[in-house]
């Protein structure tokens, strides 16, 4: 494979160079200090590699390196994790930049990037306790948990990741020299937890027994840097065999049953087992964790699968878990929230934009020129927004008129399909198909099927699941399987006890003051995240939130420009940096209450800088 290696001047990274070359990979080394690399690694090794100078905290620099060398794999061993829980994270800037770069490069290259990241044993489950992490008993290097959260939030069709989670790695030699052939290793893997864990009598000791048992077992889990390097190189080599097969589906069929989202715990054993561990069962929504103990031929080959999204009704959960529904979006009546798979833009970590209606304030339908003006205004605002959410596809010729303007301005769209009645739903699908066949798919961020249908009681879970599957199949039939498909609904629809998860993010509609509203937004967002993650759901997006500038007061909620600006500064300026979000709305001055940020002359009503 063509591998981009980051962290090559580190203990593991420097040993990965000869290991990757021995397994016949093409290696591009991304390094900040080339002089340090040359002082560390023998020239006979480096002469066979391409060296790229750059900063690993720069998303653009890493993405450019992947694109320039047409890489289909990446190994990140850069960064040093904070040891103690009270220390500030040290390496999350690198992790976020690298993961985002891989996703964006994947979108442009047209194939997913196979990625290995480095973590630690604290992200693994304690043996026999699926819901208890090792960090519960061993509270060191907890930053690796943040690494896991970051990479697991990325869209699986673009970032096929595994996380190597070792205990202690020691070198067998200080010299980094060329290898004529793979050195081999004595490591095998087991999902979710440590392999070959042997509980001892110490567990019977009250209170302290489990800690003593951990210490005793962990002494057996030391491995070597060279073994871990060869394991990673061998894994990529076996995946290359799968990718190179002429009949990919048939040749890789057995490998497709292996999940690829793993936390890997390598361990050396005194007597390497001659047997390869059995392949673990594939559970799509579940993040897999794996422990390695012996034999390099147990690989963690990726499986291209669709994340299953939960509507969080008990009956719906059982239905959806057997489908290929890719994401759920949340919305709210006035502040709509989305549950979407994480997607990023080349220039930022997250999608950010505004909701745009298909009608002018007069009620007339927007023309292509009107859409072009909207997109131009978006890009002229502080923050230079280049994405927008559309509510419909066929209404007012939304896609027919908006897409040409979007392509001309390089604006990307979160496309909506109304699904409340079959006639409207069929018209929306037809408009989407027509737009794709005419303009391709580069302009699409994702597609949302339905909006607030559960909240209003306009549909049931089974119907919604069927529609989600129909749109997914419709896209795949036109070579657009990479486009995410999901549903938008209110936060109250998602956290209602009988639905299990929702979020309310329009504090104005809760009738609270602006001061209370800022806290209410955060609290309800956290409630939704907890409910969604508890059910195994995907990342939360915000599709609408805002504060009205004019209109009637609602309880303690007062409409005013100053309150809208305060809400923007406190909420928008934060969420645009930490999640995918679309603000409500760009302009609706003729509505009451009005949430628009622009006046009739398309000038900002308040300071939109952050």
């Amino acid at each position: 494979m063509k591998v981009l290696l980051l962290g090559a001047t580190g203990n593991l990274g420097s040993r990965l160079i000869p290991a990757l070359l021995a397994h016949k990979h093409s290696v591009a080394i991304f390094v900040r200090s080339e002089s340090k690399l040359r002082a560390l690694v023998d020239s006979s090794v480096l002469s066979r590699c391409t060296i790229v100078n750059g900063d690993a905290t720069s998303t653009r620099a890493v993405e450019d390196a992947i694109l320039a060398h047409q890489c289909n794999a990446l190994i990140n061993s850069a960064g040093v994790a904070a040891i103690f829980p009270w220390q500030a994270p040290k390496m999350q800037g690198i992790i976020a930049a690298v993961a985002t770069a891989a996703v964006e490069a994947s979108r442009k290259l047209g194939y997913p990037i196979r990625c290995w990241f480095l973590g630690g044993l604290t992200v693994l489950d304690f043996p026999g306790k699926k819901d208890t992490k090792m960090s519960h008993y061993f509270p060191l290097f907890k930053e690796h948990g943040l690494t896991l959260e970051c990479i697991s939030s990325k869209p699986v069709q673009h970032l096929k990741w595994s996380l190597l989670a070792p205990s202690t790695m020691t070198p067998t030699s200080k010299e980094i020299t060329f290898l004529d052939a793979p050195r081999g290793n004595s490591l095998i893997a087991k999902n979710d937890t440590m392999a070959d864990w042997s509980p001892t009598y110490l567990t019977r000791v009250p209170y302290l027994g489990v800690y003593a048992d951990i210490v005793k077992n962990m002494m057996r889990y030391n491995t070597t840097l060279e073994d871990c390097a060869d394991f990673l190189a061998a894994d990529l080599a076996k995946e290359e065999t799968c990718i190179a097969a002429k009949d990919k589906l048939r040749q890789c069929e057995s490998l497709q049953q292996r999940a690829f989202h793993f936390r890997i715990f390598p361990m050396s054993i005194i007597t390497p087992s001659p047997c390869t561990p059995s392949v673990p069962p594939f559970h799509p929504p579940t993040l897999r964790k794996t422990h390695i103990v012996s034999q390099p031929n147990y690989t963690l080959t990726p499986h291209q699968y669709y994340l299953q999204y939960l509507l969080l009704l008990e009956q719906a959960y059982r239905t959806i878990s057997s489908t290929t529904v890719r994401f759920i979006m949340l919305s709210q009546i006035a502040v709509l929230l989305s549950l979407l798979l994480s997607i990023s833009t080349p220039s930022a970590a997250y999608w950010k934009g505004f909701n745009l209606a298909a009608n002018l304030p007069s009620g007339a339908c927007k023309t292509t020129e009107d859409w072009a003006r909207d997109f131009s205004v978006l890009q002229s605002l502080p923050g230079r927004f280049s994405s927008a959410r559309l509510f419909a596809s066929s209404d007012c010729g939304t896609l027919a008129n908006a897409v040409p303007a979007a392509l001309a301005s390089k604006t990307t769209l979160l496309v909506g399909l109304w699904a409340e009645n079959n006639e409207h739903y069929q018209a929306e699908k037809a408009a989407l198909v027509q737009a794709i066949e005419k303009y391709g798919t580069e302009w699409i961020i994702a597609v949302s099927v339905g909006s607030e249908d559960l909240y209003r009681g306009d549909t049931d879970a089974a119907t919604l699941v069927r529609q989600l599957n129909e749109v997914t199949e419709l896209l795949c039939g036109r070579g657009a399987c990479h486009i995410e498909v999901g549903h938008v609904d209110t936060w109250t629809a998602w956290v209602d006890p009988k639905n299990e998860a929702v979020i309310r993010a329009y504090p104005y509609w809760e009738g609270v003051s602006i001061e209370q509203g800022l806290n209410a937004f955060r609290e309800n967002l956290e409630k939704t995240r907890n409910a969604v993650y508890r059910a195994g759901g995907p990342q939360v997006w915000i599709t609408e939130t805002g504060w009205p500038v004019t209109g009637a007061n609602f309880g303690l909620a007062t409409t005013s420009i100053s309150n809208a600006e305060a809400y923007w500064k406190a909420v928008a300026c934060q969420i645009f940096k930490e999640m995918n979000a679309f603000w409500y709305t760009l302009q609706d001055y003729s509505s009451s209450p009005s949430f628009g940020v622009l006046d009739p002359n398309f000038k900002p009503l308040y300071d939109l800088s952050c």
Side-chain angles (χ1 to χ4, degrees), residues 108-341:
K108 295 176 181 178
L109 291 170
Y111 52 76
I113 307 298
R114 177 69 170 112
C115 297
W116 274 98
F117 292 86
L118 186 62
L121 64 86
T122 54
V123 301
L124 298 166
D125 293 340
F126 185 80
K129 298 184 178 181
K130 186 176 180 181
D131 297 325
T132 303
K133 297 258 190 321
M134 284 293 293
S135 57
H136 177 76
Y137 300 105
F138 191 71
L140 299 179
F141 298 101
K142 297 186 75 171
E143 185 178 358
H144 292 314
L146 299 178
T147 297
L148 178 62
E149 290 180 12
C150 177
I151 60 179
S152 61
S153 71
K154 302 302 179 185
V156 296
Q157 74 274 29
H158 296 301
L159 185 71
K160 303 192 298 186
W161 61 264
S162 292
L163 182 67
L164 187 73
S167 177
T168 302
M169 298 181 291
T170 56
T172 58
S173 172
K174 292 184 179 180
E175 296 183 359
I176 313 298
T177 57
F178 179 71
L179 298 173
D180 292 322
R183 68 183 297 279
N185 65 78
S186 56
L187 301 176
I188 59 174
K190 175 184 176 182
N191 289 341
D192 296 328
T193 187
M194 282 73 70
D196 197 35
W197 181 268
S198 302
T200 69
Y201 64 91
L202 293 172
T203 57
R204 301 175 186 175
V205 179
Y207 304 112
L208 299 179
V210 65
Y211 299 97
D213 187 53
I214 290 173
V215 172
K216 182 176 177 61
N217 269 287
M218 282 178 56
M219 294 174 65
R220 304 165 48 243
Y221 289 148
N222 294 337
T223 187
T224 69
L225 291 162
E226 289 78 5
D227 270 1
C228 288
D230 186 81
F231 180 88
L232 298 180
D235 172 71
L236 296 183
K238 292 195 174 181
E239 180 165 340
E240 176 72 10
T241 301
C242 177
I243 293 174
K246 286 185 178 180
D247 187 346
K248 295 180 182 179
L249 292 178
R250 184 172 301 170
Q251 295 292 335
C252 302
E253 184 175 359
S254 62
L255 299 178
Q256 292 285 337
Q257 300 306 314
R258 302 183 182 182
F260 60 84
H261 282 178
F262 289 92
R263 282 165 273 180
I264 317 300
F265 185 15
M267 150 190 168
S268 290
I269 57 175
I270 298 174
T271 306
S273 168
C275 301
T276 300
S278 59
V279 177
F282 177 58
H283 302 295
T286 306
L287 213 58
R288 304 300 295 172
K289 307 156 282 182
T290 306
H291 170 193
I292 324 175
V293 194
S294 178
Q295 291 293 339
N297 52 351
Y298 174 49
T299 63
L300 306 177
T301 305
H303 177 198
Q304 182 67 37
Y305 68 90
Y306 307 129
L307 277 183
Q308 300 169 326
Y309 292 82
L310 313 178
L311 297 181
L312 303 178
L313 294 164
E314 185 61 28
Q315 180 179 1
Y317 175 82
R318 289 195 295 271
T319 304
I320 295 177
S321 64
S322 63
T323 70
T324 56
V325 178
R326 306 223 201 139
F327 69 83
I328 296 174
M329 292 195 235
L330 291 172
S331 76
Q332 167 163 335
I333 234 178
V335 188
L336 308 171
L337 296 175
S338 298
L339 294 175
L340 287 167
L341 201 57

Side-chain angles (χ1 to χ4, degrees), residues 87-115:
Q87 292 179 313
K90 298 180 178 181
M91 55 187 287
Q92 292 312 299
I94 294 176
I95 300 301
V98 172
T100 300
V103 170
E104 292 311 314
S106 167
R107 294 182 186 282
K108 295 176 181 178
L109 291 170
Y111 52 76
I113 307 298
R114 177 69 170 112
C115 297

Side-chain angles (χ1 to χ4, degrees), residues 237 414 468:
L414 174 54
L468 289 165

